PDB file of all heavy atoms in Angstrom:
ATOM      1  N   TYR A   3      27.092 -36.317  -4.757  1.00  0.00           N
ATOM      2  CA  TYR A   3      27.861 -36.183  -3.533  1.00  0.00           C
ATOM      3  C   TYR A   3      28.606 -34.855  -3.533  1.00  0.00           C
ATOM      4  O   TYR A   3      28.985 -34.351  -4.598  1.00  0.00           O
ATOM      5  CB  TYR A   3      28.835 -37.351  -3.397  1.00  0.00           C
ATOM      6  CG  TYR A   3      28.128 -38.671  -3.251  1.00  0.00           C
ATOM      7  CD1 TYR A   3      27.929 -39.503  -4.347  1.00  0.00           C
ATOM      8  CD2 TYR A   3      27.630 -39.060  -2.017  1.00  0.00           C
ATOM      9  CE1 TYR A   3      27.262 -40.710  -4.205  1.00  0.00           C
ATOM     10  CE2 TYR A   3      26.961 -40.266  -1.877  1.00  0.00           C
ATOM     11  CZ  TYR A   3      26.783 -41.081  -2.968  1.00  0.00           C
ATOM     12  OH  TYR A   3      26.113 -42.263  -2.831  1.00  0.00           O
ATOM     13  N   ASN A   5      31.356 -32.034  -3.555  1.00  0.00           N
ATOM     14  CA  ASN A   5      32.683 -31.907  -4.140  1.00  0.00           C
ATOM     15  C   ASN A   5      32.972 -32.984  -5.190  1.00  0.00           C
ATOM     16  O   ASN A   5      34.067 -33.504  -5.285  1.00  0.00           O
ATOM     17  CB  ASN A   5      33.747 -31.905  -3.042  1.00  0.00           C
ATOM     18  CG  ASN A   5      33.431 -30.895  -1.968  1.00  0.00           C
ATOM     19  OD1 ASN A   5      33.053 -29.771  -2.272  1.00  0.00           O
ATOM     20  ND2 ASN A   5      33.539 -31.278  -0.723  1.00  0.00           N
ATOM     21  N   ALA A   8      30.865 -34.966 -12.857  1.00  0.00           N
ATOM     22  CA  ALA A   8      31.130 -35.903 -13.943  1.00  0.00           C
ATOM     23  C   ALA A   8      31.412 -35.149 -15.238  1.00  0.00           C
ATOM     24  O   ALA A   8      30.964 -34.025 -15.424  1.00  0.00           O
ATOM     25  CB  ALA A   8      29.943 -36.840 -14.145  1.00  0.00           C
ATOM     26  N   LEU A   9      32.151 -35.802 -16.106  1.00  0.00           N
ATOM     27  CA  LEU A   9      32.410 -35.321 -17.459  1.00  0.00           C
ATOM     28  C   LEU A   9      31.784 -36.322 -18.423  1.00  0.00           C
ATOM     29  O   LEU A   9      32.005 -37.528 -18.294  1.00  0.00           O
ATOM     30  CB  LEU A   9      33.914 -35.230 -17.728  1.00  0.00           C
ATOM     31  CG  LEU A   9      34.694 -34.248 -16.872  1.00  0.00           C
ATOM     32  CD1 LEU A   9      36.191 -34.402 -17.129  1.00  0.00           C
ATOM     33  CD2 LEU A   9      34.247 -32.832 -17.164  1.00  0.00           C
ATOM     34  N   MET A  11      31.023 -37.398 -22.584  1.00  0.00           N
ATOM     35  CA  MET A  11      31.490 -37.204 -23.946  1.00  0.00           C
ATOM     36  C   MET A  11      30.457 -36.370 -24.697  1.00  0.00           C
ATOM     37  O   MET A  11      29.262 -36.585 -24.552  1.00  0.00           O
ATOM     38  CB  MET A  11      31.707 -38.541 -24.646  1.00  0.00           C
ATOM     39  CG  MET A  11      32.463 -38.400 -25.942  1.00  0.00           C
ATOM     40  SD  MET A  11      32.933 -39.997 -26.637  1.00  0.00           S
ATOM     41  CE  MET A  11      34.292 -40.420 -25.579  1.00  0.00           C
ATOM     42  N   ALA A  19      36.453 -27.620 -30.315  1.00  0.00           N
ATOM     43  CA  ALA A  19      35.511 -27.913 -29.222  1.00  0.00           C
ATOM     44  C   ALA A  19      36.028 -29.081 -28.384  1.00  0.00           C
ATOM     45  O   ALA A  19      36.629 -30.017 -28.911  1.00  0.00           O
ATOM     46  CB  ALA A  19      34.137 -28.251 -29.792  1.00  0.00           C
ATOM     47  N   PRO A  20      35.794 -29.049 -27.078  1.00  0.00           N
ATOM     48  CA  PRO A  20      36.239 -30.151 -26.220  1.00  0.00           C
ATOM     49  C   PRO A  20      35.428 -31.424 -26.456  1.00  0.00           C
ATOM     50  O   PRO A  20      34.261 -31.365 -26.840  1.00  0.00           O
ATOM     51  CB  PRO A  20      36.004 -29.620 -24.801  1.00  0.00           C
ATOM     52  CG  PRO A  20      34.969 -28.567 -24.947  1.00  0.00           C
ATOM     53  CD  PRO A  20      35.126 -27.991 -26.313  1.00  0.00           C
ATOM     54  N   GLY A  24      31.195 -31.144 -18.503  1.00  0.00           N
ATOM     55  CA  GLY A  24      30.424 -31.473 -17.302  1.00  0.00           C
ATOM     56  C   GLY A  24      30.639 -30.425 -16.238  1.00  0.00           C
ATOM     57  O   GLY A  24      31.018 -29.294 -16.529  1.00  0.00           O
ATOM     58  N   PHE A  69      43.602 -35.127  -0.484  1.00  0.00           N
ATOM     59  CA  PHE A  69      44.841 -35.662   0.074  1.00  0.00           C
ATOM     60  C   PHE A  69      45.902 -34.576   0.170  1.00  0.00           C
ATOM     61  O   PHE A  69      46.144 -33.829  -0.769  1.00  0.00           O
ATOM     62  CB  PHE A  69      45.374 -36.812  -0.786  1.00  0.00           C
ATOM     63  CG  PHE A  69      46.695 -37.327  -0.297  1.00  0.00           C
ATOM     64  CD1 PHE A  69      46.760 -38.141   0.817  1.00  0.00           C
ATOM     65  CD2 PHE A  69      47.867 -36.977  -0.937  1.00  0.00           C
ATOM     66  CE1 PHE A  69      47.981 -38.606   1.287  1.00  0.00           C
ATOM     67  CE2 PHE A  69      49.087 -37.438  -0.483  1.00  0.00           C
ATOM     68  CZ  PHE A  69      49.147 -38.248   0.631  1.00  0.00           C
ATOM     69  N   ARG A  76      53.208 -30.555   9.258  1.00  0.00           N
ATOM     70  CA  ARG A  76      52.029 -31.410   9.436  1.00  0.00           C
ATOM     71  C   ARG A  76      52.503 -32.860   9.353  1.00  0.00           C
ATOM     72  O   ARG A  76      52.425 -33.502   8.313  1.00  0.00           O
ATOM     73  CB  ARG A  76      51.008 -31.097   8.335  1.00  0.00           C
ATOM     74  CG  ARG A  76      49.592 -31.438   8.709  1.00  0.00           C
ATOM     75  CD  ARG A  76      48.619 -31.015   7.630  1.00  0.00           C
ATOM     76  NE  ARG A  76      48.958 -31.477   6.302  1.00  0.00           N
ATOM     77  CZ  ARG A  76      48.829 -32.739   5.888  1.00  0.00           C
ATOM     78  NH1 ARG A  76      48.374 -33.650   6.688  1.00  0.00           N
ATOM     79  NH2 ARG A  76      49.165 -33.076   4.666  1.00  0.00           N
ATOM     80  N   TYR A  78      51.436 -35.675  10.296  1.00  0.00           N
ATOM     81  CA  TYR A  78      50.470 -36.761  10.147  1.00  0.00           C
ATOM     82  C   TYR A  78      49.452 -36.370   9.095  1.00  0.00           C
ATOM     83  O   TYR A  78      49.256 -35.204   8.790  1.00  0.00           O
ATOM     84  CB  TYR A  78      49.770 -37.074  11.473  1.00  0.00           C
ATOM     85  CG  TYR A  78      48.992 -35.907  12.021  1.00  0.00           C
ATOM     86  CD1 TYR A  78      47.653 -35.740  11.692  1.00  0.00           C
ATOM     87  CD2 TYR A  78      49.591 -34.960  12.834  1.00  0.00           C
ATOM     88  CE1 TYR A  78      46.934 -34.653  12.166  1.00  0.00           C
ATOM     89  CE2 TYR A  78      48.875 -33.872  13.314  1.00  0.00           C
ATOM     90  CZ  TYR A  78      47.553 -33.724  12.982  1.00  0.00           C
ATOM     91  OH  TYR A  78      46.847 -32.656  13.437  1.00  0.00           O
ATOM     92  N   ARG A  82      40.438 -37.953   5.953  1.00  0.00           N
ATOM     93  CA  ARG A  82      39.711 -37.565   4.750  1.00  0.00           C
ATOM     94  C   ARG A  82      38.230 -37.714   4.991  1.00  0.00           C
ATOM     95  O   ARG A  82      37.788 -38.641   5.664  1.00  0.00           O
ATOM     96  CB  ARG A  82      40.134 -38.438   3.578  1.00  0.00           C
ATOM     97  CG  ARG A  82      41.605 -38.265   3.244  1.00  0.00           C
ATOM     98  CD  ARG A  82      42.013 -39.211   2.196  1.00  0.00           C
ATOM     99  NE  ARG A  82      41.605 -38.691   0.910  1.00  0.00           N
ATOM    100  CZ  ARG A  82      41.856 -39.272  -0.230  1.00  0.00           C
ATOM    101  NH1 ARG A  82      42.487 -40.392  -0.259  1.00  0.00           N
ATOM    102  NH2 ARG A  82      41.452 -38.746  -1.354  1.00  0.00           N
ATOM    103  N   PRO A  99      24.776 -26.627 -19.785  1.00  0.00           N
ATOM    104  CA  PRO A  99      24.633 -25.575 -20.795  1.00  0.00           C
ATOM    105  C   PRO A  99      25.380 -25.831 -22.082  1.00  0.00           C
ATOM    106  O   PRO A  99      25.460 -24.971 -22.940  1.00  0.00           O
ATOM    107  CB  PRO A  99      25.190 -24.340 -20.080  1.00  0.00           C
ATOM    108  CG  PRO A  99      26.169 -24.881 -19.107  1.00  0.00           C
ATOM    109  CD  PRO A  99      25.611 -26.195 -18.672  1.00  0.00           C
TER     110      PRO A  99
END
Side-chain angles (χ1 to χ4, degrees):
Y3 296 97
N5 309 316
L9 297 173
M11 192 171 284
F69 176 76
R76 204 176 51 73
Y78 61 91
R82 297 175 80 178

